[in-house]
Structure formats: structure tokens, C-alpha cells
Amino acid sequence: MRVYTLSESATGYVFNDEVHQPVADNCHHPLDPDAADDPRVFRGNRPGKVVSRLIRPYYELGHHVIMDSYYTSAPLFDHLYVHNIAATGTCRMYTLGLPDEVKNAENYDPQVVPPDADDEERWPRGSFSVFQDGAMTVCAWKDTKMVKFMSTAVSARRPNQALVRRQCKDKRTGAFERIEVLCPNVAVMYNQYFRGDLTDQQLAYYTPGRSSPRWHRAVFYHELNKALMNAFHNMASVHGYGQSGSRYRRQLMFRAQVAKQLIGNFSSRQRPPRGTSLMAPRLIPTNVERVGHRMGRNPDGRRSCVMCRRAGRIVGHGTRPNRVHETINCCLTCQLPLCHPRYRQACWREHNV
């Protein structure tokens, strides 16, 4: 089951989510009127449709959306910027609207170097190039590998660099040392606020249900789990998370308290096993103890009940119509396979006559 989620970056609170619907990606969705208004953005752009449906209730509110490379595209960012929504995300090689200079950033020299220089000399660690077109800013940054960003929340005209600490291994000595690497602000902001797995982590800690091949059960348990997590954050925003203990330990205590309040004083009788009458006694008759018969597990495995065979109680069907009831239990005193008295009292009664 695939679920698209719009969540808050600091706590993981879920604002909106959507269960994957393949039909909705190939036709007009009633909750996504923008798809018909701006076909340049949403025609063939499945991730753009998902983002539009999730963020639409928050248009014109000045929010900042951070996403991964699956959803990033230049037409989508322009569409969100028109509706007063800033966006930032990483880019892939074939991201829609990505400039050719950024696509081929590895072949672009940020500084004057010899033509036969290797990749480390051509793009030393900490080098980056920034391109801007209107409100759109695209950045290519070299850390351990080339990383590309697209954003409408930063500008290339302002000072946009910072220092980040990295652990680097010296090629000559093999020792690790800490170095400072030049980093653009868009990368610092992305690493600070993009915590896409925070919601998944909190949902996976205490799942109320179990996995099921039936999709409607999986959706129900997911929505129940999400409602419990959002309720916990709502309570914590009013009363605080407390002074001691981890946040997730307190979430477990909150879920246990909710379960106790839902159960209350409710109790129910234990259902009898299948095939047992409600009026049948659940204890072994007293004459069994008097005679000295004891119930136990048959060391020879499953065998046909002796009393059922004598009485002609046949449970067979299909290719074995005359099959007698088989049991794993036996009388340890007599070493005879017998049905357990909890399920068939007649066998024990006839055996002790």
C-alpha cells in the first residue's frame, strides 16, 4: 500500500495524506481542479498531481514545502509560487525543467583548471554553482558526490554559503580528520527541514494492527495509527511533552491510556471452542479422577479415537466417507487414544463406565 503524506517537519504531524489511486493519476480527479486549469504542469506529471491535491487546502497561506527528487519539477514549483507557496527539493538527472548546465554540471568547470584534470581537481569538495531564472534558483553542489537542488525560497543574489563539518579520510595516512566544507544555504535548509522519514518512524514504533493482505484493513489500521499520533501531538502542544523520558516513550504511555479509556469496564465471556455446546461442562467428570484415568498427549501421534470407532461416530467425508475422528490425546493410564473431554464428553464417559 502506497500513501502520500504531507507532514510537519519538526514533529511529524500529518496534515493531509492520500492513498495511492492509479485511476486518479490517469484522469481528472474531483479534488484536483488545477489539473484541468494548468495542463502544462499536470499533463503526464503524476507527482505534480499528488502534490497539488495535498497542498491545495493551504494555498495563499505562505507555507514552504520541501520534497524529495520524486516530486520536484520546475513547472510544479512555478505553479506553487503563483499560489504563494515556496518549494524546495532535490533534483534528478531528468527532472522536468532542469537547465542543461546543471544536468551536465560534472563537465562544467567552476574554476580555471587544466583540461586534463581529474574530477577532484575539476570539482573539489565544497564547490557549487548557482543559476537563477526569476524566482527559480537551481544549485549544483559537490559534497562526496554531486547534489542538485531546486528552490523558490532562496535567491542567488544574496550571500548563500555556509560551512559544514565533514569527516574525511586522509589518503596518505589513512586517518580520519574533521574538515569544514563550503555549503550553499539551500543545502543547509534542505537538510534541516526535510525529515520525510520522521512520520514513518513514529508510525512504525507502536502499530495498533497487524499486516493483512486485505487492503481495506491495511488502510483502516494506517488511518487509526495516524489519528493516534496526531492526537498525541495535539495533546503535547497544549500540555507539553513533559520533563523526563523520551518523546516516543511518552507516546506509548499516551496510547496505553487511550486504549484503557476506550475499553473502560467492558468485559466478555470466553467463547467455547468450535463444536462444543454452551451447556456442556468444561471440567473432566469426577469419576475420571476416581478411577485414576489421566489425560495426556499421545506419544504415537494422531490416532483414531477408540470410543468413536466402537460407537460408530463417523466424521469422514469426500474420498474417506468412513473415517473416524482422529485425536492427538490419549488416556495415559490405559494407553488408548481418546477424544479430549473438553471437546467430546461421550468418549470419556463411555471409557469410564
Side-chain angles (χ1 to χ4, degrees):
M1 183 184 67
R2 185 188 304 174
V3 180
Y4 304 106
T5 303
L6 177 67
S7 60
E8 203 265 334
S9 61
T11 61
Y13 184 91
V14 178
F15 290 103
N16 198 359
D17 64 350
E18 177 184 312
V19 180
H20 176 63
Q21 302 177 16
V23 178
D25 296 330
N26 299 324
C27 63
H28 175 66
H29 197 280
L31 300 179
D32 189 16
D34 293 336
D37 298 339
D38 197 349
R40 183 182 66 89
V41 179
F42 301 102
R43 180 175 298 173
N45 189 359
R46 178 186 303 176
K49 295 180 182 180
V50 173
V51 175
S52 174
R53 290 194 293 267
L54 292 178
I55 200 65
R56 182 173 178 79
Y58 305 97
Y59 279 175
E60 310 299 338
L61 297 181
H63 289 293
H64 184 194
V65 182
I66 299 180
M67 61 194 75
D68 62 4
S69 58
Y70 175 74
Y71 304 95
T72 303
S73 65
L76 175 63
F77 279 27
D78 291 335
H79 175 79
L80 296 178
Y81 185 79
V82 171
H83 293 280
N84 197 19
I85 299 292
T88 301
T90 54
C91 301
R92 299 180 181 180
M93 178 63 70
Y94 302 102
T95 296
L96 187 62
L98 191 66
D100 294 336
E101 294 83 0
V102 181
K103 291 181 180 179
N104 304 319
E106 291 81 358
N107 300 326
Y108 173 75
D109 297 340
Q111 55 186 1
V112 179
V113 295
D116 57 345
D118 56 7
D119 294 339
E120 187 65 26
E121 296 179 354
R122 183 184 301 272
W123 271 93
R125 192 171 187 177
S127 302
F128 64 91
S129 297
V130 182
F131 305 88
Q132 184 164 0
D133 182 12
M136 185 76 65
T137 301
V138 181
C139 176
W141 174 49
K142 175 65 177 296
D143 191 12
T144 55
K145 63 179 181 179
M146 189 67 67
V147 186
K148 305 176 181 65
F149 298 93
M150 183 180 295
S151 177
T152 57
V154 298
S155 175
R157 300 181 179 89
R158 300 177 182 178
N160 58 345
Q161 60 187 20
L163 292 176
V164 293
R165 293 183 178 181
R166 293 289 188 268
Q167 191 172 9
C168 182
K169 183 177 181 180
D170 193 348
K171 296 182 179 179
R172 293 176 299 177
T173 62
F176 287 91
E177 59 180 358
R178 290 205 174 259
I179 62 174
E180 291 185 345
V181 179
L182 198 62
C183 176
N185 278 348
V186 61
V188 176
M189 179 179 58
Y190 182 86
N191 294 330
Q192 179 180 358
Y193 294 109
F194 182 73
R195 305 174 66 182
D197 57 347
L198 178 61
T199 301
D200 296 335
Q201 289 176 4
Q202 298 187 24
L203 291 176
Y205 284 140
Y206 316 110
T207 55
R210 295 293 180 265
S211 59
S212 174
R214 301 182 180 181
W215 67 269
H216 59 276
R217 291 186 179 180
V219 172
F220 170 77
Y221 285 130
H222 172 78
E223 295 299 324
L224 177 61
N225 197 11
K226 182 195 69 175
L228 287 172
M229 187 191 69
N230 285 351
F232 167 73
H233 288 304
N234 288 332
M235 182 202 68
S237 63
V238 177
H239 302 285
Y241 287 104
Q243 300 298 329
S244 61
S246 66
R247 175 182 303 176
Y248 309 111
R249 179 63 180 175
R250 291 189 294 275
Q251 184 181 163
L252 177 60
M253 298 172 61
F254 170 78
R255 289 173 178 256
Q257 185 178 3
V258 171
K260 291 180 180 179
Q261 292 178 357
L262 291 176
I263 296 173
N265 297 325
F266 174 79
S267 63
S268 63
R269 296 177 56 186
Q270 183 180 3
R271 293 184 178 180
R274 184 176 297 178
T276 305
S277 174
L278 294 177
M279 301 303 295
R282 302 297 300 276
L283 300 177
I284 299 176
T286 56
N287 61 341
V288 175
E289 300 178 357
R290 231 181 12 249
V291 175
H293 297 280
R294 294 184 299 111
M295 169 60 65
R297 191 178 183 87
N298 194 344
D300 297 333
R302 187 176 296 274
R303 293 291 184 269
S304 299
C305 176
V306 176
M307 302 283 57
C308 288
R309 187 185 303 113
R310 291 179 183 177
R313 287 188 286 268
I314 299 175
V315 296
H317 57 84
T319 59
R320 299 178 61 186
N322 298 324
R323 184 173 64 89
V324 181
H325 183 268
E326 296 179 350
T327 177
I328 195 64
N329 304 302
C330 72
C331 176
L332 297 179
T333 305
C334 306
Q335 293 297 322
L336 295 177
L338 295 170
C339 297
H340 198 282
R342 180 176 298 176
Y343 303 107
R344 189 168 280 105
Q345 288 282 345
C347 296
W348 271 99
R349 190 180 304 111
E350 294 171 1
H351 177 64
N352 290 276
V353 171

